[in-house]
Amino acid sequence: GTPFYMAPEQATERVVDDLTDLYNLGATMFRMFTGEYANLGIPTGDVQMLSRARKPAIRINPHLPRGLNDVIMACLEGERSARPAEARHVKESLERVARKMGLD
């Protein structure tokens, strides 16, 4: 994994699964919509500090729809259990954002 997109569990060599992929997706969306990296290096095991230290994407890009910010930040939760439970939940949330923006 590239450190700028790496989930905490990847950095600490713990279990990697679909929730890790959602973190990676969140890091990719964060970069796409803000021009900045969600992580400034390899995440440490202190996931609560990681989540508190990260600025919400909407603070960097105030034109970002609130719903999109919420999806991105949910995917970037340091605690795996706080991330969306399944990729389909992320997909459904992104579809709602697209509909609100008239992009359906």
Side-chain angles (χ1 to χ4, degrees), residues 27-69:
T28 301
M29 289 190 294
F30 192 94
R31 175 79 168 142
M32 285 174 50
F33 292 108
T34 68
E36 296 184 13
Y37 293 106
N39 297 330
L40 298 178
I42 296 175
T44 66
D46 188 350
V47 294
Q48 301 200 329
M49 182 186 79
L50 175 72
S51 293
R52 283 194 308 269
R54 181 180 299 111
K55 287 188 250 179
I58 202 165
R59 280 195 34 213
I60 300 166
N61 178 358
H63 301 289
L64 198 66
R66 169 72 56 196
L68 181 54
N69 176 76

Side-chain angles (χ1 to χ4, degrees), residues 3-4 12 32 46 54 58 61 74 89 96-99 103:
F4 295 117
T12 55
M32 285 174 50
D46 188 350
R54 181 180 299 111
I58 202 165
N61 178 358
H89 297 148
R96 278 193 297 278
V97 170
R99 276 194 301 278
L103 300 174

